[in-house]
Amino acid sequence: MLTIDQATYDAIVAHARRDHPDEACGIVAGPEGSDRPARFVPMLNAARSPTFYEFDSADLLQLYKELDANDEEPVVVYHSHTATEAYPSRTDISYASEPNAHYVLVSTRSEGETEFRSYRIVDGVVTEEPVEVVASYA
Amino acid sequence: MAIEVKIPTILRTYTDGAKAVDGAGETLSALIDNLDGSHPGLKGRLITDEGSLHRFVNVYVNDEDVRFTGSLETTLKDGDSVTILPAVAGGSR
């Protein structure tokens, strides 16, 4: 299960809406081993595409240096699908390489409601998990 | 000739959990061969059957993405630092 606070949840959805119709992407970092998404880090989609996203390679290196210095890890890796459902595509699965991360997919295909779903992707196997939104972490 | 290589979480199964290992080589290609000797299997996760760098990984030498410095032919010298990171990418297709 992914437990995430309301403010971070809202920030992910707002980022996805803002970048629509291009895909939005980013991570939420948390202390290593905590499984707690604490620090929202929106990233630039270097592909600027409605069907593909990619962290810029220099941004990626900078991000991991920061995480390393803070003893953090990517607890959530999120991106949006702007015309299809919030389910990992074959491309998403082939790139997924953080075994401890919750892969969050947001779909902005409907203007009225936003789909927000979370998955584990390990060795190419996708497992959907429930999402619990809390006011704040206890 | 020692080159420090930072290993991402996903590949630490090959390094007994170590976040960084030492290797040797005058090019990135030679370094990866050297690493594969001490950590068998690592090479297959970095290089495709066709012999090029996998698109799922980013490799940096002293913070420079090797895609811009000659890829596997990038030359290395003693004291260089190599960082391997999984590319973060995907899409709806």
Side-chain angles (χ1 to χ4, degrees):
Chain A
M1 177 165 77
L2 168 64
T3 302
I4 188 166
D5 70 306
Q6 186 72 53
T8 307
Y9 178 100
D10 291 346
I12 292 173
V13 170
H15 184 201
R17 285 286 165 201
R18 195 163 64 238
D19 283 10
H20 184 92
D22 285 348
E23 294 196 4
C25 56
I27 70 154
V28 188
E32 251 173 55
S34 69
D35 202 33
R36 171 179 298 202
R39 188 167 70 87
F40 173 66
V41 188
M43 300 291 290
L44 189 75
N45 176 2
R48 295 175 196 275
S49 157
T51 55
F52 191 70
Y53 82 94
E54 185 176 31
F55 289 9
D56 172 75
S57 104
D59 292 352
L60 179 76
L61 180 64
Q62 193 52 46
L63 173 68
Y64 272 83
K65 280 185 174 182
E66 239 176 70
L67 296 177
D68 204 37
N70 294 341
D71 292 321
E72 289 175 318
E73 62 186 351
V75 178
V76 166
V77 178
Y78 73 87
H79 77 282
S80 63
H81 285 174
T82 56
T84 56
E85 76 169 317
Y87 192 86
S89 66
R90 268 190 309 174
T91 315
D92 293 335
I93 296 164
S94 60
Y95 273 100
S97 48
E98 286 294 349
N100 300 326
H102 302 268
Y103 283 89
V104 164
L105 270 288
V106 170
S107 175
T108 54
R109 63 178 164 172
S110 153
E111 225 170 279
E113 65 172 311
T114 305
E115 293 167 60
F116 186 110
R117 295 164 71 179
S118 182
Y119 306 86
R120 294 288 191 173
I121 307 176
V122 180
D123 293 333
V125 178
V126 177
T127 312
E128 184 162 11
E129 59 182 2
V131 176
E132 185 193 29
V133 182
V134 295
S136 65
Y137 301 120
Chain B
M1 169 139 172
I3 292 160
E4 188 196 42
V5 184
K6 291 191 179 129
I7 305 289
T9 311
I10 186 90
L11 298 180
R12 288 180 198 157
T13 46
Y14 298 96
T15 60
D16 293 322
K19 289 184 174 185
V21 297
D22 279 340
E26 301 203 336
T27 61
L28 180 58
S29 180
L31 172 71
I32 291 172
D33 282 336
N34 173 262
L35 289 177
D36 199 62
S38 34
H39 311 285
L42 203 50
K43 183 177 178 178
R45 300 295 298 272
L46 302 175
I47 293 180
T48 65
D49 293 343
E50 289 75 41
S52 59
L53 206 53
H54 233 296
R55 66 190 165 100
F56 302 114
V57 290
N58 287 6
V59 180
Y60 306 85
V61 175
N62 304 331
D63 294 359
E64 195 78 48
D65 189 327
V66 299
R67 284 193 179 90
F68 307 116
T69 60
S71 198
L72 287 168
E73 301 315 311
T74 302
T75 54
L76 300 171
K77 57 183 188 310
D78 199 19
D80 277 350
S81 163
V82 173
T83 302
I84 302 170
L85 289 177
V88 183
S92 52
R93 285 185 186 149

